[in-house]
Amino acid sequence: MNKLGFARKEKVQQFMSVTGASEKVAIQTVKTKDWHLEGALEAFYSQEHIKEATEKNPWEVLFNKYKDPNVDMIMADGISNLCNDLQVNPDDIVMLVLAWEMRAETMCEFSKQEFIGGVESLEIDSMEKFKKKIPILRSQLKDEDTFRDIYNFAFDWAKEKGQKSLALETGIALWQLLFAEFKWPLVDQWCQFIQERHSKAISRDLWLQLLEFARTVDSTLSNYDAEGAWPWLLDEFVEYLIETGACAEKSDE
């Protein structure tokens, strides 16, 4: 600063006093604005200060890369761009696992708090680490309790805001995604049945009970208990399987 004239030195000192910036940053910023203090202060707060802050916060850098230009959230386009960078399909089940990890409230949306809290919790501070985390996220589906948690989470995550039930088409798409991972052999028959015989929104009780049915009743219905406390729609599904010949009717023993 000794090489600066008195007037310029005074402006640098004022800049440092107002912003708390280092002498080097102060000189560079004021100099780029032709030594106009007001313009330098405006540039610092609109660009330089923000840049300096985000460089120290890698999670915010990731968020800002994908956030919507109009709202402080990552929306569908941002999630699509994230999927491209991660080299995964947007409808890959691993994106549901990621939403579960981030405690996302709504499908195709990440709030700033959800996203930054999620990547920080997952110890992701770069795209390279993000990519390496994908197989780990996917592997969690192999744990029965974790799969159940993700399955249960999907209902509230996917239903429309303000609704108590899940849209039929959305439910079917999620069932096909989740039960393909679970390897439930009757998922195609279930989706066909629910479209033909129900054609209504999916209740939470049906959503939860179907997983229990898939877990406990074998694909031949040999251990199905007609007197069990299943929702009536699942009892109808069993009748449908027998009617269509998908499963042979149990013999009375």
Side-chain angles (χ1 to χ4, degrees):
M1 194 187 293
N2 291 333
K3 296 180 181 180
L4 300 177
F6 175 78
R8 291 181 175 180
K9 188 182 296 185
E10 187 176 20
K11 287 180 180 179
V12 170
Q13 288 176 334
Q14 286 179 297
F15 184 94
M16 291 168 62
S17 176
V18 171
T19 64
S22 67
E23 181 180 308
K24 182 179 179 180
V25 170
I27 293 173
Q28 288 177 342
T29 308
V30 179
K31 186 177 181 180
T32 59
K33 293 300 177 180
D34 295 326
W35 302 99
H36 294 297
L37 181 60
E38 187 175 335
L41 288 170
E42 183 178 345
F44 177 82
Y45 283 114
S46 64
Q47 297 177 5
E48 298 298 329
H49 186 56
I50 294 173
K51 181 181 177 183
E52 184 178 311
T54 56
E55 284 176 349
K56 293 178 180 178
N57 186 339
W59 306 293
E60 185 127 2
V61 172
L62 279 172
F63 174 76
N64 288 336
K65 182 177 182 181
Y66 301 107
K67 74 179 288 292
D68 189 274
N70 300 313
V71 292
D72 204 25
M73 298 181 71
I74 296 175
M75 306 298 283
D77 287 345
I79 292 174
S80 178
N81 292 335
L82 174 62
C83 288
N84 287 337
D85 289 345
L86 292 174
Q87 298 177 332
V88 300
N89 226 301
D91 58 2
D92 190 314
I93 195 171
V94 78
M95 294 306 293
L96 172 57
V97 181
L98 180 62
W100 171 73
E101 285 279 6
M102 292 186 173
R103 297 179 173 84
E105 290 189 0
T106 307
M107 187 164 55
C108 297
E109 291 182 9
F110 290 128
S111 70
K112 185 174 184 178
Q113 181 179 358
E114 289 167 351
F115 185 85
I116 291 181
V119 292
E120 189 172 359
S121 174
L122 290 167
E123 299 181 344
I124 294 169
D125 57 14
S126 68
M127 185 48 61
E128 182 182 359
K129 288 185 179 179
F130 216 145
K131 288 179 180 178
K132 289 180 179 178
K133 190 67 68 171
I134 294 299
I136 298 171
L137 292 174
R138 197 185 302 281
S139 69
Q140 293 188 80
L141 291 161
K142 295 178 181 179
D143 179 80
E144 186 175 329
D145 291 335
T146 302
F147 181 88
R148 184 191 295 110
D149 287 346
I150 293 169
Y151 179 92
N152 293 346
F153 160 84
F155 182 88
D156 286 320
W157 173 73
K159 68 182 177 64
E160 294 183 13
K161 293 178 182 178
Q163 298 297 314
K164 293 183 178 180
S165 300
L166 182 64
L168 179 63
E169 289 184 4
T170 305
I172 288 173
L174 281 172
W175 275 324
Q176 290 173 331
L177 183 71
L178 286 156
F179 283 127
E181 187 70 30
F182 189 75
K183 295 181 172 57
W184 185 38
L186 297 176
V187 60
D188 290 337
Q189 290 93 326
W190 168 257
C191 291
Q192 182 72 24
F193 162 78
I194 206 76
Q195 285 179 302
E196 291 179 5
R197 304 286 180 93
H198 187 57
S199 301
K200 296 178 182 177
I202 308 302
S203 70
R204 184 188 302 276
D205 182 58
L206 178 60
W207 180 265
L208 299 179
Q209 288 293 322
L210 183 63
L211 177 59
E212 188 63 19
F213 182 92
R215 286 180 61 251
T216 59
V217 178
D218 68 45
S219 60
T220 65
L221 307 180
S222 63
N223 61 343
Y224 169 72
D225 181 4
E227 303 301 320
W230 297 112
W232 63 269
L233 204 55
L234 286 172
D235 289 328
E236 282 198 7
F237 175 55
V238 170
E239 293 177 9
Y240 171 85
L241 290 173
I242 295 170
E243 285 173 13
T244 57
C247 291
E249 189 170 6
K250 290 195 306 175
S251 60
D252 296 326
E253 297 180 359

